[in-house]
Amino acid sequence: MLLEKVCSSELKDRNPELLRYQRQIILNEIGIEGQIRLRKSKVLLVGAGGLGSIVAYYLACSGIGYLGIVDPDIVEESNLQRQIIHTEENIGMPKAISAMIGLKKINSKINILPYPDEIKKENVFQYIEDYDLVVACPDNFNSRFILNDSCVKTGKPLVVGAVNEFEGHVFDVISPEGPCYNCLFEEARDEKLTRGIFAPVAGVIGAIQAAEALKILLNIGNFLKGRMIVYDALKESFREVKFLKNPACNVCKG
């Protein structure tokens, strides 16, 4: 009751943040201290497509203080079916810039740093060094491997998501405690994208990624460390796949 009074509309003029985030602040697991922690947090989002759109929206709405967005692509009309952060008027614009414009309309108080660039081995450490956590939403294995390697080396938490057709999966890489992306997908190789994506699957997986990112930053709940959630939209089912460090992994040294 005390927090509800603190967050009441009577204090709107004195502290608008209390009103905006009151539904989070009244949660025992978050409170005012947790909200302050989110405001001070810095998250790097790699990929502003289907998954990244959802992650970006929820992180911005939740009050993340600094959100970096890395994406080398421009907005195309075919993106709009699932990449809901972009609009028709932004077709031809770099996705990182388009995402910033959309997020600023939702929450003008947070800091958005757009990077219209591609994550590579040569620049990845430059991008992640100033951030507390990385959310991987690229559409290729190579970028995920690069992010996994760099996050394991620097000890930064990484939330990984991927979608294909009617399915998607998500898990956390928290080194050195848990297994890494390479432990699971060492043999994976990129294939030419010829299959489609059922738009709501990106929404489901992106929302789980956002939830994991917020939980890790707040240090609440159980993380998807050594656990992968797999969603099947056709069956409308979730299943949990548990996995351990691979003793032969050359990244986290199993």
Side-chain angles (χ1 to χ4, degrees):
M1 290 297 294
L2 178 60
L3 280 176
E4 289 184 13
K5 290 180 180 179
V6 169
C7 299
S8 69
S9 58
E10 296 176 5
L11 295 180
K12 178 180 179 181
D13 293 335
R14 277 182 278 175
N15 195 334
E17 280 191 82
L18 291 178
L19 180 62
R20 175 186 282 263
Y21 304 117
Q22 62 175 305
R23 294 304 183 197
Q24 286 184 170
I25 292 174
I26 62 176
L27 295 172
N28 291 332
E29 294 83 354
I30 299 180
I32 291 178
E33 290 185 0
Q35 194 61 52
I36 292 173
R37 180 181 296 183
L38 292 180
R39 187 176 64 188
K40 293 180 178 180
S41 296
K42 300 178 181 180
V43 176
L44 183 68
L45 174 63
V46 180
L51 293 174
S53 292
I54 305 300
V55 174
Y57 271 138
Y58 277 118
L59 294 185
C61 290
S62 299
I64 291 296
Y66 297 83
L67 181 59
I69 304 175
V70 183
D71 196 303
D73 297 331
I74 63 171
V75 179
E76 300 178 358
E77 188 170 3
S78 62
N79 300 147
L80 305 183
Q81 167 255 0
R82 64 202 177 280
Q83 301 180 16
I84 63 173
I85 202 169
H86 308 298
T87 62
E88 291 180 352
E89 64 184 12
N90 289 348
I91 291 175
M93 181 182 296
K95 287 184 181 179
I97 303 297
S98 174
M100 177 188 69
I101 293 172
L103 295 174
K104 280 295 186 179
K105 292 179 180 179
I106 295 172
N107 192 342
S108 61
K109 303 300 182 183
I110 66 172
N111 299 284
I112 310 293
L113 298 90
Y115 307 108
D117 196 5
E118 181 180 1
I119 285 291
K120 302 176 183 178
K121 291 181 179 179
E122 296 78 16
N123 65 14
V124 63
F125 290 104
Q126 167 191 330
Y127 278 119
I128 73 171
E129 64 179 351
D130 293 327
Y131 290 88
D132 304 311
L133 177 145
V134 180
V135 183
C137 301
D139 59 0
N140 63 87
F141 283 106
N142 187 54
S143 294
R144 296 187 203 112
F145 281 125
I146 291 173
L147 290 170
N148 176 75
D149 293 1
S150 58
C151 285
V152 168
K153 288 179 181 178
T154 58
K156 293 182 185 290
L158 173 69
V159 182
V160 183
V163 295
N164 184 46
E165 295 188 350
F166 294 92
E167 295 185 354
H169 65 259
V170 56
F171 61 93
D172 304 328
V173 175
I174 303 178
S175 184
E177 293 88 356
C180 74
Y181 186 83
N182 193 68
C183 289
L184 265 183
F185 295 104
E186 184 177 10
E187 302 301 323
R189 295 290 182 270
D190 279 327
E191 299 178 2
K192 186 177 180 180
L193 184 61
T194 57
R195 291 173 287 188
I197 296 174
F198 189 50
V201 175
V204 172
I205 298 301
I208 296 175
Q209 283 186 276
E212 288 302 298
L214 293 169
K215 285 163 50 188
I216 293 171
L217 292 170
L218 293 166
N219 194 27
I220 60 174
N222 297 321
F223 309 148
L224 288 176
K225 179 179 64 178
R227 298 186 298 135
M228 178 168 63
I229 296 297
V230 180
Y231 172 62
D232 186 324
L234 289 181
K235 296 179 181 178
E236 205 56 66
S237 66
F238 289 89
R239 61 189 176 94
E240 179 183 283
V241 178
K242 294 184 178 181
F243 60 102
L244 301 173
K245 281 191 174 186
N246 179 355
C249 179
N250 60 9
V251 176
C252 67
K253 309 301 181 185

